[in-house]
Amino acid sequence: MVVTSRDEAPATLKPEYDRASELKAFDDTKLGVKGLVDAGVTEIPRIFYSPPDDMDNSASGDTQFSIPVIDVQGIEKDVTKRKKIVESIRDASETWGFFQLVNHGIPVSVLEEMKEGVRRFYEQDAQVKKEFYTRDHLRPVVYNTNFDLYSAPATNWRDTFYCLMAPNPPKAEDLPAACGDILEQYSKLVMKLGTLLLELLSEALGLNPNHLNDIDCSEGLAVLCHYYPACPQPELTIGASKHADDAFLIVLLQDHIGGLQVLHQDKWVDVPPVPGALVVNIGDLLQASLLIILLITNDRFKSVEHRVLANRVGPRVSVASFFSTGRRPTSKIYGPIKELLSANNPPKYRETRVSNYAKYFSEKGLDGTSALPHFRL
Ligand code: OGA
Ligand code: NI
């Protein structure tokens, strides 16, 4: 991973230029960041320059910490083992908000083919790919660069396409030919895994195992397929700015390149690629529905901020599965779990429609601040 000081940042960092029209011209190419790399750019356009704070690497690469790796083999059969695993998931969710999962039941061959499928999508014929380029969230496949392109302070060095795979998956013929089959197969397996994780998280909170699934935390699944092209100047931009996720729970498949970091005790800690593993993290909505509640502190389960560094080596491919119905209008309302409230632990967040939360999150963009304070009582 390339970690460079910002001392030589050019004076052009200040947007003394017509940013809006440069964004529009870039968006109109419909070729994304990959299009720039294919055209052979050696200097990145200034729309990608990140504010120096985003690039703060002073606390990077601290080896004193590493995010927990949890092995869930045998969890369905062995009660004692399950108890131990629930214990480690609770601990990881309280202290990190992030953990890696091994022996999760999704075959390595499926993981590999999923990453291959994403690569095939981005590396296919540009004319075919352009057909999917859109900012219309009602399309079955939404491919573009940065969902917050026009509102974020800086553009991220990343292209993304996403599909809502539950509760109403697109018709097979509406999915990209490059990866439709594997996307359907992978989504079914991730849904099964997410359902299990929500059972374990319910148990970790001392609730009935079905609680979080019963309140439909696993109803919606958005699968985001990211492509971070090799970057000629990784010291000037970032793959994904610091953010927390707008979902209940996220299951992330990353390739071997690395660059994902989580903010832990004010230090950026690497989430190193582990072959065959999936990265799991708690999103804002789970934090909002659980935290509120908890006996000692509202910060028991954490929706932790994270980011992805740009890298001279690439592309990097990742697939982020968001358990949330947020990207489609839903009138469902979430608030503090009543069972966990008491006189000493009154609700701290107001009841909120997922759609309102999602609207606020997407208008705010990845600006480095949390969406949650907006919903505090
Ligand atoms: C995200 C995210 C990390 C990655 O999609 O919200 O943080 O490694 N992705 O791509
Ligand atoms: Ni994220």
Side-chain angles (χ1 to χ4, degrees):
M1 190 178 317
V2 182
V3 175
T4 321
S5 133
R6 291 275 311 189
D7 289 349
E8 337 68 20
T12 43
L13 260 180
K14 295 182 211 81
E16 291 156 347
Y17 63 97
D18 186 356
R19 181 172 172 83
S21 54
E22 292 191 20
L23 290 172
K24 175 81 169 61
F26 168 70
D27 206 20
D28 285 348
T29 67
K30 304 188 174 199
L31 292 171
V33 177
K34 183 174 188 303
L36 298 173
V37 174
D38 289 344
V41 296
T42 54
E43 294 188 350
I44 67 171
R46 54 196 164 178
I47 55 168
F48 292 94
Y49 290 172
S50 293
D53 280 358
D54 274 20
M55 306 295 297
D56 175 20
N57 285 322
S58 51
S60 269
D62 196 304
T63 49
Q64 172 194 349
F65 293 116
S66 62
I67 83 158
V69 177
I70 299 175
D71 185 339
V72 286
Q73 185 134 50
I75 192 158
E76 304 285 10
K77 298 180 203 94
D78 184 336
V79 180
T80 321
K81 202 173 234 175
R82 186 174 180 112
K83 264 204 165 131
K84 278 208 179 114
I85 294 168
V86 165
E87 200 52 45
S88 23
I89 288 183
R90 173 173 43 214
D91 191 49
S93 306
E94 286 174 5
T95 49
W96 286 91
F98 259 82
F99 50 92
Q100 306 226 43
L101 210 57
V102 293
N103 294 315
H104 42 65
I106 304 188
V108 172
S109 57
V110 172
L111 303 182
E112 290 305 312
E113 173 58 11
M114 187 63 240
K115 287 181 284 181
E116 266 314 304
V118 174
R119 222 166 281 135
R120 279 196 301 273
F121 175 86
Y122 287 100
E123 293 169 7
Q124 72 184 312
D125 181 80
Q127 292 311 318
V128 179
K129 189 172 62 169
K130 268 185 181 178
E131 295 296 316
F132 292 99
Y133 198 93
T134 181
R135 295 195 177 273
D136 173 1
H137 291 281
L138 298 177
R139 292 264 298 268
V141 180
V142 177
Y143 154 54
N144 59 45
T145 293
N146 297 204
F147 73 92
D148 55 356
L149 183 71
Y150 292 103
S151 57
T155 306
N156 289 168
W157 196 259
R158 178 188 79 240
D159 299 325
T160 301
F161 73 89
Y162 78 84
C163 306
L164 297 190
M165 299 305 290
N168 302 305
K171 290 196 241 69
E173 63 265 31
D174 289 336
L175 290 172
C179 60
D181 290 350
I182 187 64
L183 195 55
E184 286 180 327
Q185 194 189 345
Y186 179 73
S187 301
K188 282 189 192 128
L189 293 170
V190 165
M191 178 53 86
K192 217 171 123 205
L193 178 60
T195 307
L196 169 66
L197 283 165
L198 287 161
E199 275 176 25
L200 299 174
L201 287 163
S202 303
E203 289 172 39
L205 287 164
L207 297 164
N208 169 323
N210 297 325
H211 191 105
L212 294 172
N213 285 305
D214 283 349
I215 63 169
D216 294 337
C217 291
S218 52
E219 184 192 10
L221 176 65
V223 179
L224 281 70
C225 302
H226 301 302
Y227 190 86
Y228 301 83
C231 180
Q233 294 178 300
E235 64 283 6
L236 296 182
T237 187
I238 196 153
S241 313
K242 178 172 97 171
H243 68 282
D245 292 332
D246 60 332
F248 294 105
L249 185 73
I250 300 88
V251 174
L252 179 89
L253 166 63
Q254 65 166 338
D255 72 7
H256 59 286
I257 299 282
L260 175 62
Q261 298 186 317
V262 302
L263 194 57
H264 180 68
Q265 298 181 4
D266 288 329
K267 288 200 175 351
W268 285 109
V269 177
D270 291 335
V271 181
V274 171
L278 290 163
V279 179
V280 178
N281 72 292
I282 305 290
D284 276 356
L285 293 179
L286 201 53
Q287 168 163 347
S289 24
L290 299 179
L291 273 191
I292 309 164
I293 25 185
L294 291 161
L295 302 171
I296 308 162
T297 154
N298 276 351
D299 288 325
R300 194 161 145 193
F301 276 17
K302 291 198 176 95
S303 169
V304 166
E305 290 175 318
H306 51 284
R307 68 179 185 182
V308 181
L309 298 178
N311 198 324
R312 224 172 270 283
V313 181
R316 172 179 185 268
V317 164
S318 70
V319 180
S321 302
F322 278 56
F323 286 89
S324 170
T325 51
R327 277 152 218 265
R328 282 289 156 79
T330 156
S331 54
K332 206 154 282 168
I333 294 175
Y334 286 93
I337 294 175
K338 305 269 186 302
E339 286 84 338
L340 293 164
L341 293 173
S342 69
N344 291 337
N345 193 35
K348 297 239 167 77
Y349 293 85
R350 55 191 159 90
E351 300 212 311
T352 303
R353 278 178 213 282
V354 179
S355 53
N356 287 354
Y357 170 82
K359 184 166 178 288
Y360 178 74
F361 185 98
S362 69
E363 283 168 6
K364 191 175 78 61
L366 302 188
D367 64 355
T369 66
S370 166
L372 278 180
H374 186 73
F375 299 95
R376 278 196 175 250
L377 283 169

